[in-house]
């Protein structure tokens, strides 16, 4: 585009909403043009004009992210430097990279971007004014600037934009590629966070989720140091101020189950729990939309046909401009990014000054043996939170096939956790105990057999069980003690057949059921050995007990 010297739609007002704190402060110099804090219509117009995206029926902006249609979970690095070294949980998700390698990469990226046109969004992460962090997202593409505007909390006041100074800056340069031999990265794709320099780099991928999750990782490190629990969860609140948190990995139902028309949505993915209440880190939603149903998920479905929404890797017909949400030929991980206020029952402030009454751990059990809902005591809650058992659903990470992959993801979001899992678990425990929160384990996975044999549990049944739990209708029903995990399972629940609450009933062979359940317990026990030395004995002993053979 820059070699054709003619104006783009936003050229004449590119600096209208600029900050006095310029990009030269980040080392970005000799740029062609900088487009500052463009509004949604301007960014849509720019993206279409530049050939980055297409408009489809209803007005959504449709983009194709090319090679990467999911997170490159193995390509995240944190700079190993003195100020944070002893606080970070180094390992598979937090790979160290030296300051020397980072500085070399940054210098090359800054040189690469000279002469380019860049887009800037100055915004906040964190809806609570007492805990929010001013950030800056610098992108090569107009559509990624709109993504940042959708996902974080934009600033509407011109004077506030003018004086905006970011506490953390992210530069996304998808066309810039790392050189593993020179840079010490694994591939040409990398996400690198430098906490001492307060800067993050995203390179070699157009997938919008990398911008979102890199900032989430930053918050997961910084906020707990302020006694704010950083959580990979959705959250909603009832008319009586009763807050519910829904922890779970992508594909377990966080977005779907929290978008309950009877309750106000605080947010669908990332939150903080402070001494004052719960607040959304973000200003938008990033929902999976593959095979989305207007009947079962009307609020989210409506967003896929709305101006301001970005559709990632959704298939469409170029002539009619109709989208096909059932087509997974590009990826299972089709996504929609849209502002939270597109959901009619969302909470405008994205925060509440009341505390959670219920904490729900969502697991997608691909083995089909866990009960659909169980009540946990505090030690069991800590055990299951640290374990983070689920099944990774096809498409959410690079390399996953069709069949779900059994996984343990600490804190229901290990790729984004920077401290040791018990650091988060202990903080969660203190806040739950202080505020008298209950804890539930809810299985949104398979019943009647493993994946390929049984079927996915009815979302209607799951909703009815959750509503009963949140409304206190499970407080006085009879419970049975699970003989492997020891948690308590309700024997009955309003609007749910009793059979559903006993998963063994749906299996053709009870012996096969118990063998599979015992095998799952063995997986739990083996996984928890990674954390046992850093946990109290009461938490370690709250795990499953294998059947006597």
């Amino acid at each position: 585009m820059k070699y054709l010297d003619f104006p783009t739609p936003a050229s004449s007002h590119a600096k209208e909403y600029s900050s006095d704190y310029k990009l030269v402060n980040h080392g970005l110099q000799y740029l062609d043009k900088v487009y500052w804090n463009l509004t949604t219509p301007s960014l849509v117009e720019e993206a279409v004009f530049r050939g980055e995206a297409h408009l489809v029926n209803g007005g959504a902006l449709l983009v194709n992210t090319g090679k990467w249609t999911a997170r490159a979970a193995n390509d995240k690095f944190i700079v190993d430097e003195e100020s944070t070294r002893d606080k970070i949980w180094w390992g598979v998700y937090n790979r160290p990279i030296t300051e020397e390698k980072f500085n070399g990469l940054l210098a090359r990226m800054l040189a690469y971007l000279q002469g380019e046109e860049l887009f800037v969004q100055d915004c906040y992460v964190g809806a609570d004014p007492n805990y929010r962090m001013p950030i800056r997202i610098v992108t090569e593409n107009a559509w990624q600037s709109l993504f940042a505007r959708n996902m974080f909390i934009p600033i509407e006041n011109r004077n506030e934009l003018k004086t905006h100074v970011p506490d953390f800056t992210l530069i996304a340069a998808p066309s810039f590629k790392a050189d593993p031999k020179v840079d010490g990265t694994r591939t040409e794709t990398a996400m690198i966070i430098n906490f001492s320099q307060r800067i993050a780099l995203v390179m070699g991928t157009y997938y919008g989720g990398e911008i979102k999750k890199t900032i989430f990782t930053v918050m997961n490190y910084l906020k707990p140091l302020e006694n704010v629990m950083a959580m990979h969860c959705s959250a909603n609140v009832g008319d009586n101020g009763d807050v519910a948190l829904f922890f779970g990995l992508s594909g377990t139902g966080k977005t779907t189950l929290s978008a309950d028309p009877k309750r106000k949505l605080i947010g669908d993915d990332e939150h903080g729990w402070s001494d004052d209440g719960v607040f959304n880190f973000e200003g938008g939603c990033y929902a999976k939309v593959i095979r989305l149903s207007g009947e079962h998920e009307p609020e989210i479905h409506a967003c896929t046909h709305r101006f301001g929404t970005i559709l990632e890797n959704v298939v469409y017909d170029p002539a009619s401009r109709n989208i096909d949400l059932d087509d997974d030929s590009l990826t299972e991980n089709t996504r929609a990014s849209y502002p939270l206020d597109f959901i009619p029952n969302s909470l405008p402030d994205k925060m509440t000054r009341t505390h959670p009454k219920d904490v729900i751990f969502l697991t997608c059990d691909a083995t089909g043996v866990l009960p659909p809902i169980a009540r946990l005591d505090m030690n069991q809650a800590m055990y299951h939170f640290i374990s983070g058992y689920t099944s990774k659903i096809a498409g959410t990470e690079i390399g996953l096939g069709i069949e779900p992959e059994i996984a343990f993801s600490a804190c229901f979001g290990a790729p984004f956790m920077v401290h040791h899992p018990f650091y988060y678990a202990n903080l969660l425990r203190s806040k739950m105990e202080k505020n008298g929160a209950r804890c539930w384990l809810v299985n949104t996975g398979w019943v009647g057999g493993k994946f390929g044999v049984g079927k996915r549990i009815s979302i209607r049944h799951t909703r009815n069980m959750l509503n009963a739990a949140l409304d206190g209708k499970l407080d006085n029903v009879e419970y049975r003690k699970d003989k492997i995990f020891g948690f308590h399972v309700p024997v009955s629940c309003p609007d749910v057949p009793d059979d559903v609450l006993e998963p063994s009933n749906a299996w053709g062979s009870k012996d096969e059921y118990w063998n599979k359940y015992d095998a799952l317990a063995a997986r739990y026990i083996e996984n928890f050995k990674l954390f046992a030395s850093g946990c109290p004995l009461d938490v370690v002993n709250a795990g499953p007990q294998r059947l006597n053979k």
Side-chain angles (χ1 to χ4, degrees):
M1 185 67 67
K2 68 177 183 177
Y3 300 114
L4 302 175
D5 191 16
F6 53 83
T8 70
S11 293
S12 62
H13 55 272
K15 298 180 181 178
E16 188 76 18
Y17 299 115
S18 66
S19 166
D20 288 341
Y21 192 81
K22 303 300 184 188
L23 294 189
V24 69
N25 290 289
H26 312 296
L28 288 160
Q29 302 182 76
Y30 312 117
L31 300 170
D32 184 349
K33 188 181 285 289
V34 179
Y35 294 83
W36 287 88
N37 297 305
L38 295 186
T39 62
T40 296
S42 286
L43 288 167
V44 169
E45 206 170 31
E46 281 289 320
V48 172
F49 182 82
R50 292 162 182 264
E52 299 172 6
H54 299 281
L55 280 174
V56 292
N57 269 337
L61 190 72
L62 189 144
V63 300
N64 188 319
T65 62
K67 179 181 178 182
W68 301 134
T69 59
R71 285 186 297 106
N74 296 323
D75 291 307
K76 186 188 84 178
F77 296 85
I78 294 177
V79 176
D80 182 5
E81 47 81 26
E82 190 175 355
S83 70
T84 58
R85 182 174 297 136
D86 296 338
K87 299 183 180 74
I88 290 171
W89 180 42
W90 298 109
V92 64
Y93 294 119
N94 297 307
R95 292 172 172 80
I97 192 169
T98 66
E99 289 183 276
E100 179 187 13
K101 293 289 189 187
F102 175 83
N103 290 334
L105 246 176
L106 176 60
R108 281 179 37 233
M109 181 184 281
L110 296 176
Y112 175 84
L113 293 173
Q114 288 182 12
E116 296 291 338
E117 295 186 329
L118 296 178
F119 294 83
V120 177
Q121 283 293 324
D122 287 329
C123 38
Y124 291 109
V125 57
D128 189 332
N130 295 327
Y131 300 100
R132 70 187 182 188
M133 183 171 71
I135 60 172
R136 172 168 289 172
I137 309 296
V138 182
T139 64
E140 286 185 289
N141 303 98
W143 83 261
Q144 285 196 325
S145 195
L146 177 58
F147 181 87
R149 189 173 180 83
N150 279 355
M151 298 315 304
F152 304 115
I153 300 170
I155 299 168
E156 307 296 348
N157 182 287
R158 184 184 296 237
N159 289 331
E160 198 175 342
L161 284 171
K162 186 175 176 60
T163 58
H164 186 87
V165 178
D167 275 0
F168 222 98
T169 298
L170 182 147
I171 303 173
S175 65
F176 176 80
K177 294 176 173 55
D179 183 342
K181 293 178 181 176
V182 175
D183 301 317
T185 57
R186 208 179 60 90
T187 67
E188 62 188 21
T189 299
M191 285 61 64
I192 308 177
I193 300 171
N194 188 324
F195 285 106
S196 67
Q197 294 185 32
R198 312 288 277 197
I199 191 168
L201 309 178
V202 175
M203 63 196 76
T205 174
Y206 285 88
Y207 180 62
E210 298 291 15
I211 295 173
K212 165 188 161 70
K213 289 304 187 186
T214 298
I215 293 295
F216 182 42
T217 304
V218 169
M219 293 292 276
N220 272 325
Y221 176 75
L222 295 175
K223 289 299 137 182
L225 299 176
E226 301 175 32
N227 197 39
V228 175
M229 177 63 187
M231 304 177 292
H232 186 216
C233 72
S234 57
N236 62 26
V237 58
D239 291 338
N240 297 321
D242 53 310
V243 176
L245 304 179
F246 300 79
F247 286 87
L249 286 194
S250 176
T252 55
K254 287 197 320 301
T255 299
T256 299
L257 294 170
S258 58
D260 183 341
K262 298 176 184 175
R263 297 170 66 84
K264 293 291 186 185
L265 180 67
I266 304 171
D268 82 325
D269 197 42
E270 302 170 7
H271 291 81
W273 185 356
S274 73
D275 289 339
D276 302 327
V278 172
F279 63 97
N280 196 341
F281 282 168
E282 301 180 299
C285 301
Y286 191 49
K288 280 191 77 172
V289 295
I290 191 69
R291 292 177 285 279
L292 195 69
S293 161
E295 178 186 355
H296 296 295
E297 297 165 288
E299 295 88 1
I300 303 171
H301 188 270
C303 294
T304 64
H305 296 80
R306 183 163 176 178
F307 181 81
T309 293
I310 301 169
L311 298 175
E312 273 189 345
N313 303 310
V314 171
V315 174
Y316 81 111
D317 175 57
S320 68
R321 296 300 169 109
N322 291 327
I323 60 173
D324 184 355
L325 295 177
D326 295 327
D327 193 328
D328 61 2
S329 58
L330 292 177
T331 177
E332 274 274 331
N333 192 37
T334 54
R335 293 274 176 170
S337 161
Y338 49 88
L340 185 69
D341 61 17
F342 279 16
I343 300 293
N345 65 320
S346 63
L347 207 60
D349 291 341
K350 306 174 186 66
M351 57 176 285
T352 175
R353 294 299 187 197
T354 55
H355 293 276
K357 188 182 86 172
D358 292 280
V359 174
I360 297 123
F361 299 153
L362 299 171
T363 181
C364 175
D365 175 29
T367 68
V369 294
L370 281 177
I373 189 167
R375 190 175 62 193
L376 312 182
D377 66 29
M378 190 57 70
N379 286 322
Q380 289 169 344
M382 294 304 94
Y383 184 93
H384 283 272
F385 181 68
I386 293 170
S387 297
Y389 168 65
T390 193
S391 301
K392 292 181 180 179
I393 305 299
T396 55
E397 286 184 19
I398 292 164
L400 289 178
I402 298 297
E403 188 163 336
E405 180 182 303
I406 289 178
F408 292 89
S409 187
C411 310
F412 294 97
F416 324 117
M417 303 299 151
V418 188
H419 301 282
H420 187 279
F422 185 69
Y423 187 93
Y424 298 101
N426 207 32
L427 190 52
L428 179 64
R429 177 180 201 144
S430 69
K431 294 195 179 295
M432 288 177 66
E433 287 179 339
K434 183 178 179 181
N435 296 287
R438 301 173 296 193
C439 189
W440 308 87
L441 182 70
V442 173
N443 174 22
T444 62
W446 275 258
V447 291
K450 66 177 183 176
F451 175 85
V453 177
K455 63 179 181 178
R456 194 88 187 254
I457 190 168
S458 160
I459 190 171
R460 179 169 54 86
H461 289 155
T462 301
R463 280 195 186 280
N464 289 342
M465 284 183 281
L466 276 173
N467 288 337
L470 300 182
D471 294 342
K473 294 178 181 176
L474 295 184
D475 290 355
N476 299 310
V477 301
E478 182 185 351
Y479 283 78
R480 64 174 176 84
K481 185 177 179 179
D482 187 272
K483 67 179 175 182
I484 288 185
F485 278 88
F487 43 49
H488 288 84
V489 180
V491 175
S492 63
C493 175
D495 302 315
V496 177
D498 291 350
D499 269 6
V500 173
L501 297 165
E502 174 49 80
S504 66
N505 289 339
W507 283 64
S509 164
K510 290 289 179 79
D511 286 343
E512 185 184 4
Y513 170 80
W514 286 110
N515 286 337
K516 291 286 187 185
Y517 204 1
D518 187 59
L520 179 61
R523 294 283 291 268
Y524 261 91
I525 292 165
E526 190 62 29
N527 172 73
F528 208 82
K529 290 176 182 177
L530 299 170
F531 314 106
S533 63
C535 296
L537 201 56
D538 286 347
V539 173
V540 178
N541 291 338
Q545 302 297 316
R546 296 199 62 185
L547 296 172
N548 294 320
K549 296 289 184 179

